[in-house]
Amino acid sequence: MAVSSSFVVTPKLETLLSNHLNHSSSSSPAPLGLIGIRSLPMNNRTRRSLIQRTRCEISASKAASISALEQLKTSALDRYTKERSSIVVIGLSIHTAPVEMREKLAIPEAEWPRAIAELCGLNHIEEAAVLSTCNRMEIYVLALSQHRGVKEVTEWMSKTSGIPVSEISQHRFLLYNKDVTQHLFEVSAGLDSLVLGEGQILAQVKQVVTVGQKVNGFGRNISGLFKHAITVGKRVRTETNIAAGAVSVSSAAVELALMKLPESFSHVSSARMLVLGAGKMGKLVIKHLVSKGCTKMVVVNRSEEKVAAIREELPPGVEIIYKPFDEMLACAAEADVVFTSTASEAPLFLKEHVEVLPPVRDARLFIDISVPRNVGSCVAELDGARVYNVDDLKEVVAANKEDRMRKAMEAQTIITEESKLFEAWRDSLETVPTIKKFRGLAERIRATEFEKFLSKAGNGMDNKTKKAVEDLSRGIVNKLLHGPMQHLRCDGSDSRTLGETLENMQALNRMYGLEAEILEEKIRAKVEQK
């Protein structure tokens, strides 16, 4: 969005800043004030000096080349004068970070609302969302400043996980605006998954929206991005059939187990299977085992209800034996393969637990698809155990690469098309503050002039006539606004029309000084949020 060169700090903005400075002077000292001004003892002279800074008065020698707003951008208030807030993703995934780091950063779904609230409480963050799965931990934000927003979020991640900022920075990836759109659409379509086209990630993206809709910080830009990502995920799977033959993480875990099963097992049904956890992942493991010919397995879970419900969904002849968690080790002693998929934040199997288990043919397999991990890394040191986690599933998905790549190319065409639509929609949102402020300005003028008319008319006018005159004034204003409003509305589908719309918006902002009011509202919202 272009900006006016005639921007000035209005009296309302000056009052707002003055009020905040008054507040800062009476509160306890802090390293930085809310709006980036170091907290200092306040007297009238200091206060006037700080407010004077925000005026960004232009010297005669620089007036031709530097606008007031450009100077304001370099002042203490620069984060509030961005031409446009940026969508940013700060993420770590199976492609960039080891499981040990991801499990420390993982945020349970129940904690997403708290995380969003804390993120939006940071100085430069307006909106936020959390996408935390076994393969990725990604934080999406709408940031007033890219650099400062990334710095604040990274420090927040460090504080909540206990991982040093330097270590997070080494493994994180950063994307901005259009690249964020491209990335999330690829994630939703299953193109960034370990198993191309897997369906679980689309359900997880949907869950972000479900949880986010109940939280204030899940704002228009971020929610619009995730909702569009769901549309893209559905469209890619429908039009490319990319999910056909593709497997989920749970399915890949089963295939890995069968690949690693000793040759002495003539058939999968001869191996003793144990599944820990009957949640979504555990349920899928059970179903994939059945699809591979397994007819009997033990399922350990905290309650029997979920296991009974899964049993009802399986074909006749499949035996599911339920055991409570306090019998976990006894069940493991009688298992050749142990799948773990629980939400436990502490390991369920440690070296001292496994080394006392009776030996099995070759070695006991532990397939751990939980994040945080349910099987401690120390278990792999034992001769009688082989441990695999989500990072080891890469071996399973190496087949049929050519066909998956062809479908991925088809999906990229769809993603490119949908990315343009989303970016155009986001561009069209730029006019919303101008429309609101222009309507408000017109209404204030109308109301003021109507009050002047009533004052001149005196008390001789009856209510019916007053209403008729007021309706007339509203009608005139609405008719005058109709043309400008039509030229400020655009769905973003036509790039030429969108360009013209943004030019119209900029012209109105210049003519009526609307940018100052829009900026005041942005600052006030952040001040009130803090």
Side-chain angles (χ1 to χ4, degrees), residues 80-154:
Y80 294 114
T81 60
K82 296 293 289 183
E83 292 182 4
R84 180 180 185 178
S85 296
S86 299
I87 293 181
V88 183
V89 60
I90 302 97
L92 297 96
S93 74
I94 192 171
H95 307 298
T96 68
V99 66
E100 292 86 358
M101 178 177 289
R102 299 199 312 274
E103 65 188 5
K104 290 179 182 178
L105 287 161
I107 302 176
E109 184 181 312
E111 295 295 316
W112 290 357
R114 175 194 59 78
I116 291 172
E118 290 183 4
L119 288 164
C120 290
L122 301 175
N123 282 350
H124 295 83
I125 305 303
E126 294 180 281
E127 302 175 12
V130 176
L131 177 59
S132 181
T133 73
C134 60
N135 286 336
R136 67 186 68 251
M137 165 55 181
E138 299 176 355
I139 294 178
Y140 293 77
V141 297
L142 184 70
L144 292 162
S145 163
Q146 288 185 3
H147 174 72
R148 295 180 183 181
V150 167
K151 182 176 182 292
E152 290 174 357
V153 172
T154 305

Side-chain angles (χ1 to χ4, degrees), residues 4-11 13 54-55 68-69 72 515-517 519-520:
S4 169
S5 61
S6 60
F7 179 88
V8 295
V9 178
T10 63
L13 178 54
T54 68
R55 291 179 180 274
L69 182 55
L72 183 57
E515 283 174 333
E517 291 195 24
L519 177 56
E520 288 165 10

